[in-house]
Amino acid sequence: MTSTPSALDDSPAAPPGHDPRADRRWGLVALVTAVLGFYGAATLVYERLQLFLDAGHRTSCDINSWLSCGTVMRTPQAEAFGFPNPFIGIVAYAVVVAVALAVLAGARFAAWYWWGLQLGVTLGWVFVLWLWWQTTFEINALCLYCMLVWVMQTVLVVQTTARNLRAGVLPAPAALARAAEPWAWFVSAALLVLIFGTVLVRFAGVIFPA
């Protein structure tokens, strides 16, 4: 008696939409964005510690009155939860680095794990949008390392959402699931143009003085 191929194959079935090559592409993008985001957050933590030690410390990105990390760091918004915001970034980006490396090594995670990652990066992006609004319209000063995090988090949330739509983790019409990844970079660019275009308009008077 011969066994059917399905009986001989005891490997777990791939989930709907599972594409190892596409997941590795996501892993590479996630790794780069998380490493750069971690760098931005870690630099901000270092500069904040220097300000604790020396209130007159001039940070490495204190360029002028409106492009000044020090100005932003001295505001209540810089400690939204009672401690410096960049500590959140250090922990969160370290987690993303670990997940990205695991995916690049061939690991496969359950849908609930991707849901958790999706929730985390989305909440992180919402927090970034709040910080963007605060610095642009309330604090009236910009922070170079903060803007690096804005860019990385925007790319990360769009790419992760596209990956989860394609893989069927996030329910969506088939056409949207197919189009998500091909259009992900365009969506990322459009969001960044909107974010930094608003900054440019808001600070046009000091960037391009009459």
Side-chain angles (χ1 to χ4, degrees), residues 14-35:
H18 176 68
D19 183 342
R21 292 181 62 184
D23 276 355
R24 283 194 292 272
R25 288 196 299 270
W26 173 88
L28 182 59
V29 172
L31 180 63
V32 172
T33 55
V35 167

Side-chain angles (χ1 to χ4, degrees), residues 10-203:
D10 59 357
S11 60
H18 176 68
D19 183 342
R21 292 181 62 184
D23 276 355
R24 283 194 292 272
R25 288 196 299 270
W26 173 88
L28 182 59
V29 172
L31 180 63
V32 172
T33 55
V35 167
L36 291 175
F38 185 93
Y39 168 76
T43 304
L44 288 169
V45 167
Y46 169 79
E47 296 290 3
R48 189 66 186 91
L49 291 175
Q50 296 306 306
L51 284 173
F52 276 129
L53 297 173
D54 177 10
H57 172 70
R58 182 180 177 87
T59 72
S60 58
C61 58
D62 283 346
I63 297 174
N64 51 43
S65 60
W66 58 272
L67 192 56
S68 170
C69 294
T71 298
V72 176
M73 288 179 184
R74 291 180 175 92
T75 64
Q77 293 94 322
E79 298 183 3
F81 300 98
F83 55 87
N85 298 333
F87 281 114
I88 301 173
I90 285 181
V91 175
Y93 285 124
V95 171
V96 176
V97 166
V99 174
L101 288 173
V103 170
L104 288 172
R108 282 162 50 182
F109 297 106
W112 66 264
Y113 195 93
W114 286 107
W115 265 106
L117 184 65
Q118 181 72 54
L119 178 62
V121 298
T122 302
L123 289 176
W125 190 60
V126 170
F127 189 44
V128 160
L129 289 179
W130 180 78
L131 293 171
W132 158 74
W133 181 271
Q134 293 299 312
T135 56
T136 305
F137 297 102
E138 301 294 335
I139 301 172
N140 297 313
L142 300 172
C143 165
L144 282 176
Y145 297 118
C146 301
M147 290 189 285
L148 172 63
V149 173
W150 298 355
V151 174
M152 295 305 109
Q153 190 64 28
T154 299
V155 173
L156 180 61
V157 73
V158 172
Q159 292 290 333
T160 301
T161 302
R163 184 270 166 204
N164 286 335
L165 286 169
R166 184 261 305 160
V169 175
L170 299 177
L176 177 59
R178 287 193 302 270
E181 285 188 327
W183 282 87
W185 285 110
F186 175 82
V187 173
S188 298
L191 289 171
L192 291 173
V193 167
L194 179 61
I195 290 171
F196 286 98
T198 304
V199 170
L200 184 63
V201 171
R202 178 68 179 81
F203 289 89

